[in-house]
């Protein structure tokens, strides 16, 4: 029972852990690099209303272009926010932890 | 605490994001020279017109979407190369070679396939009001290209074509109630008519004729009949009788203001300032332009391009806003627009070339023109044709 509660607490706390945020940021970055190396940047012409080619090939190009654009904007906007937030949280946790250690015994509820 | 950290991180990052894309404007635009960025953009176009296979592929892609884009891409590229030839006399022969190739190819296609080759399908749906049926859009831009070429270096081969086109344009526009001719059946566009007027101005600078009385009448007419009451901006399209079809649009007004610089500087600046006030936006250091002012919302069409929801950014209007900002020496707006360009238009660099993934050949040609414009318009203002 105790270990089940511990596991549940761990899962619930995952989204708010700096490590999770960092992992997500790195994941987004990795996906972006892969799409970039695959050359999907060239398919972003759909933003100007230019469909690169007709038929199924055109639809695939649109999908690639939209995917690349979405990943780029997520990478450039969301990833840095997650990384900065991870650093901030780690700093706050350390600062609060040190203050708790330095506090007189009487304030620590002994 | 976690939510607070995310909020603080957002508050720190978003206002700073634009700094990573803010340009050094000297790399983009120089008053008396061609900037490094402009050279890289031009290289792409020069190579495109030198390589038949690549050119065909790029142009075919655009024509799949809109035949007008192919045509307008040529016009803006000729204007850009004309300016570059005036900035860099030692490369004039090279630039004129490509300009001539574009003009000759365009005229040949028009003669072979008719004016509908460069028009959208709906050009054949209704009868033309003015006879003989001609499109001011097609004739005006060919005349502009030929006129620009002549302003750099006159050539008898082009002077006769230019004179014939001007005569035809004057005849068409003179039949309109507001001194404007049709681009499509009973559909006149101020963009196209302004371009036609500029080509007349070029002809005057070259000593062909004096079109000032006609141009003055045109100016009087558009100022009295085609100004939107709410914004004071010129409308974009109207019937031959002068009834507005569309209100002010970004994909039209920035270029119209640029053309008006040659005709009535005070009016031009007024239109630019109004367009900037009504259409340009600033979001955390990123600039863009909307297609319509708050007071009038039109339908999304091929000229406006896709409109990004919520913020209402228009690729067409934003691209031409670059030309407006450059033309009126508005470094503040130019800088913000370029910041957005590098952030959201996906520059693709390689082999000394630059193009934008989110753009197309006409969009890149407009950008190139915006970065090099100046000497051609100055020459026209001074009334200087080719000194030879």
């Amino acid at each position: 029972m105790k270990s089940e509660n511990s596991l549940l607490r761990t899962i619930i706390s995952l989204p708010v852990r700096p490590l999770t945020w960092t992992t997500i940021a790195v994941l987004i970055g990795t996906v972006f690099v892969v799409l970039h190396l695959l050359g999907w940047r060239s398919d972003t012409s759909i933003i100007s209303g230019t469909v690169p080619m007709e038929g199924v090939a055109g639809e695939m190009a649109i999908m690639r272009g939209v995917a690349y654009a979405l990943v780029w904007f997520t990478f450039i906007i969301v990833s840095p926010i997650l990384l900065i937030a991870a650093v901030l949280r780690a700093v706050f946790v350390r600062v609060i932890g040190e203050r708790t250690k330095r506090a007189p015994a009487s304030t620590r509820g002994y | 605490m976690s939510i607070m950290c995310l909020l603080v991180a957002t508050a720190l990052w978003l206002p700073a994001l634009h700094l990573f894309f803010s340009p050094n404007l000297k790399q983009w635009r120089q008053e008396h020279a061609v900037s490094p960025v402009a050279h890289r953009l031009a290289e792409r176009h020069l190579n495109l017109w030198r390589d038949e296979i690549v050119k065909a592929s790029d142009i075919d892609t655009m024509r799949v979407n809109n035949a007008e884009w192919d045509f307008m891409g040529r016009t803006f590229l000729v204007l850009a190369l004309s300016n570059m030839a005036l900035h860099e006399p030692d490369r004039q022969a090279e630039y004129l070679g490509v300009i001539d190739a574009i003009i000759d190819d365009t005229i040949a296609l028009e003669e072979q396939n008719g004016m509908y080759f460069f028009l959208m399908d709906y050009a054949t749906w209704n009868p033309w009001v003015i006879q003989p049926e001609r499109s001011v859009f097609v004739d005006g831009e060919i005349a502009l290209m030929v006129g620009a070429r002549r302003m750099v270096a006159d050539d008898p081969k082009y002077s006769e074509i230019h004179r014939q086109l001007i005569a035809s344009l004057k005849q068409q526009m003179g039949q309109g109630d507001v001194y404007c001719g049709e681009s499509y059946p009973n559909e006149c566009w101020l963009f196209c008519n302004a371009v036609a007027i500029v080509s007349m101005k070029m002809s005057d600078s070259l000593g062909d004729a004096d079109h000032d009385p006609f141009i003055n009448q045109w100016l009087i007419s558009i100022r009295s009949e085609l100004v939107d009451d709410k914004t004071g901006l010129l409308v974009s399209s109207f019937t031959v009788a002068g009834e507005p079809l569309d209100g002010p649009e970004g994909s039209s007004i920035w270029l119209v203001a640029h053309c008006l610089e040659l005709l009535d500087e005070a009016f031009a600046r007024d239109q630019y300032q109004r367009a900037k006030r009504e259409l340009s936006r600033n979001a955390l250091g990123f600039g863009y332009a909307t297609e319509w002012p708050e007071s009038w919302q039109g339908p999304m069409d091929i000229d406006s391009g896709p409109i990004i929801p919520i913020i209402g950014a228009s690729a067409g209007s934003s691209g031409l806003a670059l030309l407006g900002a450059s033309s009126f020496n508005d470094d503040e707006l130019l800088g913000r627009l370029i910041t957005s360009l590098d952030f959201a238009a996906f520059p693709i660099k390689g082999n000394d070339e630059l193009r934008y993934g989110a753009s197309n050949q006409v969009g890149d040609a407009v950008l190139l023109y915006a970065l090099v414009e100046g000497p051609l318009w100055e020459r026209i203002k001074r009334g200087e044709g080719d000194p030879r």
Side-chain angles (χ1 to χ4, degrees):
Chain A
M1 191 68 173
K2 260 192 184 172
S3 62
E4 279 171 10
N5 283 341
S6 172
L7 180 62
L8 194 63
R9 268 202 293 272
T10 303
I11 292 169
I12 289 169
S13 72
L14 266 176
V16 300
R17 286 189 173 183
L19 185 60
T20 308
W21 293 343
T22 307
T23 305
I24 293 172
V26 169
L27 219 68
I28 294 169
T30 306
V31 171
F32 170 71
V33 168
V34 167
L35 297 190
H36 186 76
L37 290 174
L38 287 173
W40 287 22
R41 181 173 269 231
S42 298
D43 293 318
T44 51
S45 59
I46 189 59
I47 292 175
S48 59
T50 309
V51 177
M53 51 204 93
E54 291 179 292
V56 174
E59 287 169 14
M60 294 300 298
I62 291 171
M63 278 173 48
R64 289 195 298 266
V66 170
Y68 184 94
L70 285 174
V71 171
W72 160 254
F73 289 122
T74 307
F75 168 63
I76 205 71
I77 295 172
V78 175
S79 292
I81 289 174
L82 290 175
L83 290 173
I84 295 169
V87 167
L88 286 173
R89 196 172 190 284
V91 166
F92 285 149
V93 165
R94 180 182 282 264
V95 165
I96 291 170
E98 282 179 2
R99 281 195 182 157
T100 305
K101 279 188 206 153
R102 281 202 301 269
S106 59
T107 65
R108 280 187 259 157
Y110 293 145
Chain B
M1 190 204 295
S2 298
I3 293 173
M4 191 191 70
C5 289
L6 286 168
L7 288 174
V8 171
T10 305
L12 287 172
W13 179 242
L14 289 187
L17 179 57
H18 74 98
L19 296 171
F20 293 89
F21 299 94
S22 292
N24 172 358
L25 276 184
K26 279 201 172 58
Q27 290 291 310
W28 288 78
R29 177 165 165 77
Q30 295 170 11
E31 196 179 341
H32 301 295
V34 179
S35 69
V37 171
H39 267 131
R40 287 204 296 275
L41 274 168
E43 204 54 40
R44 155 82 178 162
H45 289 282
L46 292 170
N47 290 335
L48 206 139
W49 277 88
R50 288 180 193 131
D51 185 327
E52 282 299 321
I53 294 170
V54 171
K55 180 186 100 180
S57 167
D58 254 43
I59 287 176
D60 287 348
T61 297
M62 277 200 308
R63 289 190 64 83
V64 161
N65 295 271
N66 182 353
E68 288 186 2
W69 287 351
D70 165 21
F71 188 60
M72 292 171 69
R74 296 162 187 254
T75 304
F76 282 109
L77 183 54
V78 165
L79 286 173
L81 294 177
S82 300
N83 276 280
M84 290 173 70
L86 292 171
H87 276 302
E88 298 180 327
D90 54 328
R91 291 187 72 175
Q92 195 175 98
E94 178 190 356
Y95 295 140
L96 283 175
V98 177
I99 289 171
D100 289 352
I102 295 170
I103 292 174
D104 293 346
D105 185 68
T106 307
I107 290 174
L109 284 168
E110 202 267 339
E111 282 175 356
Q112 196 178 323
N113 301 289
M115 66 179 182
Y116 293 97
F117 185 77
F118 292 116
L119 296 173
M120 289 191 282
D121 290 344
Y122 78 96
T124 60
W125 295 352
N126 294 303
W128 296 77
V129 172
I130 296 172
Q131 296 296 320
E133 44 183 69
R134 294 298 306 170
S135 168
V136 166
F137 165 58
V138 174
D139 289 350
E141 292 202 16
I142 293 178
L144 187 73
M145 284 193 267
V146 172
R149 197 276 187 219
R150 291 183 67 207
M151 291 298 298
V152 175
D154 205 352
D155 186 319
K157 172 178 147 189
Y158 295 117
S159 57
E160 189 49 35
I161 295 170
H162 195 200
R163 287 191 201 101
Q164 286 173 3
L165 282 165
I166 297 295
S168 172
L169 284 163
K170 191 176 168 191
Q171 190 263 336
Q172 289 172 64
M173 293 168 72
Q175 290 187 62
D177 291 1
V178 290
Y179 284 83
C180 289
E182 298 160 286
S183 299
Y184 284 83
N186 204 19
E187 190 177 293
C188 307
W189 287 83
L190 209 42
F191 182 115
C192 308
N193 282 276
V195 159
I197 291 288
V198 167
S199 71
M200 288 182 198
K201 203 75 182 150
M202 287 173 172
S203 177
D204 290 358
S205 287
L206 288 155
D208 293 343
D210 177 14
H211 292 95
D212 273 354
F214 184 84
I215 292 172
N216 289 337
Q217 188 58 55
W218 181 82
L219 276 168
I220 291 169
S221 184
I222 66 168
R223 291 185 80 151
S224 64
E225 306 292 335
L226 299 176
V227 172
D228 172 61
D229 289 336
K230 291 190 181 118
T231 61
L233 282 167
L234 290 161
V235 300
S236 54
S237 72
F238 42 96
T239 64
V240 172
E243 291 157 15
L245 294 169
D246 292 301
E249 291 185 339
S251 52
S252 182
I253 192 62
W254 302 110
L255 189 281
V256 170
H258 172 63
C259 292
L260 286 173
E261 268 197 297
L262 293 172
L263 314 171
D264 184 335
E265 287 198 56
F267 183 40
R269 185 159 286 279
D270 172 73
Q271 288 295 297
Y272 173 74
Q273 293 295 348
R274 288 177 189 272
K276 184 179 176 182
R277 191 170 61 238
E278 297 285 344
L279 304 175
S280 76
R281 301 284 185 272
N282 181 6
L284 298 172
F286 292 101
Y288 63 94
T290 61
E291 176 69 345
W292 309 288
E294 294 282 342
S295 56
W296 183 79
Q297 291 292 304
M300 194 170 84
D301 60 19
I302 202 76
D303 293 326
S304 63
I307 305 293
I308 297 171
I310 302 172
I311 63 172
S314 156
S317 180
S318 298
L320 284 162
L322 281 158
L323 174 59
S326 192
S327 191
F328 290 90
N329 298 313
D330 189 345
D331 283 355
E332 188 266 337
L333 179 57
L334 184 66
R336 287 196 277 111
L337 290 168
I338 292 173
T339 301
S340 296
L341 190 70
D342 265 359
F343 170 63
F346 306 108
I348 298 173
K349 300 170 190 175
N351 296 332
D352 295 328
E353 293 182 4
L354 169 64
R355 68 181 180 92
Y356 283 85
S359 181
N360 50 28
Q361 198 244 340
V362 62
D364 283 356
V366 169
L367 173 59
L368 175 60
Y369 179 47
L371 298 181
V372 300
E373 67 81 37
L376 180 61
W377 254 222
E378 285 304 313
R379 187 168 267 202
I380 299 168
K381 279 182 198 172
R382 290 196 300 268
E384 291 173 14
D386 172 20
R388 282 181 282 179

